[in-house]
Amino acid sequence: MSTKTLIIILDLIGILAFAIDGALTAIRTARVDIVGVMVLGLVTALGGGIIRDLLLGVTPETFQDWRYICTALLGATVAFFLSRQLTHLAKPILIFDAAGLSLFAVIGVTKALELGFGPLQATLLGVLTGVGGGTIRDVLLNRVPTVLSSNSHLYAIPALIGAGLVALAYTVGLTWGWISVVGAVLCFTVRLLALMYRWSAPTPPGASPL
């Protein structure tokens, strides 16, 4: 399997996961109809990638490949029709969110590296790809974005670790196609462990607990 094919597969899986996550989050936290579910699913799934591509100076993949929008619509549709079974369960949403975060982080850094960006810039773009869609979703839902919340239990940091591993592999000249998979697994694992054991990033000295 070529690196390009692998990237597309990971990207589509990430879009599906984030679309389900965004739609389920909307259903759980706001009174939305099918339009709201679809919009928030699409925004969550595609927002980070669109922002990344615009910063990279390329036409967003969303507007070049029909599979991106169709996959996002599929995820939102699944969430809409299975909402009764899933909305009372917090774990599925967190797992889908962790999966989308992980896959998007490594896709973002990989695409930036392929376009000639430096490892540091590529890593930051990987993180932005992972957290961008969820941030837009939270703003639309009038919530403090997860990436900025002290109660998020390491959201951006796992993305930084996964993307950083891919960038490091590229820098030292390793064959980094399958390193993307390893980076995604590492990000996903750290995120789930943080949720399980309630790990949190340091807060400012003297900050009062919420």
Side-chain angles (χ1 to χ4, degrees):
M1 182 185 299
S2 67
T3 299
K4 183 177 181 180
T5 301
L6 177 63
I7 290 174
I8 292 175
I9 291 174
L10 292 177
D11 212 2
L12 293 175
I13 294 173
I15 287 172
L16 182 66
F18 256 162
I20 295 173
D21 164 58
L24 287 177
T25 300
I27 293 168
R28 287 187 67 225
T29 61
R31 294 179 61 86
V32 291
D33 57 15
I34 188 170
V35 176
V37 172
M38 294 298 167
V39 168
L40 288 165
L42 286 170
V43 164
T44 308
L46 304 174
I50 291 175
I51 294 173
R52 174 204 65 211
D53 288 343
L54 292 176
L55 291 175
L56 290 174
V58 299
T59 302
E61 293 288 348
T62 299
F63 305 120
Q64 299 187 69
D65 191 333
W66 61 270
R67 291 174 294 183
Y68 285 74
I69 293 178
C70 288
T71 301
L73 287 173
L74 173 62
T77 301
V78 168
F80 180 81
F81 286 105
L82 296 182
S83 60
R84 181 172 298 180
Q85 292 81 7
L86 296 177
T87 49
H88 66 288
L89 299 176
K91 288 183 179 180
I93 295 179
L94 293 175
I95 291 174
F96 283 124
D97 184 73
L101 175 71
S102 307
L103 293 166
F104 274 23
V106 298
I107 292 301
V109 66
T110 300
K111 186 165 186 177
L113 290 170
E114 286 187 328
L115 291 175
F117 283 72
L120 178 58
Q121 294 86 348
T123 299
L124 293 177
L125 284 168
V127 175
L128 177 62
T129 307
V131 306
T135 299
I136 299 172
R137 173 204 65 204
D138 290 340
V139 170
L140 291 175
L141 290 172
N142 197 29
R143 308 192 314 173
V144 175
T146 303
V147 69
L148 302 179
S149 174
S150 61
N151 295 322
S152 63
H153 303 303
L154 304 187
Y155 196 67
I157 291 177
L160 184 63
I161 293 173
L165 175 65
V166 177
L168 178 62
Y170 173 82
T171 301
V172 300
L174 295 178
T175 302
W176 51 281
W178 286 100
I179 292 294
S180 298
V181 177
V182 177
V185 171
L186 179 61
C187 175
F188 183 76
T189 302
V190 172
R191 173 62 174 159
L192 289 188
L193 288 174
L195 290 169
M196 185 181 303
Y197 295 105
R198 305 186 67 81
W199 296 341
S200 296
T203 55
S208 57
L210 296 177

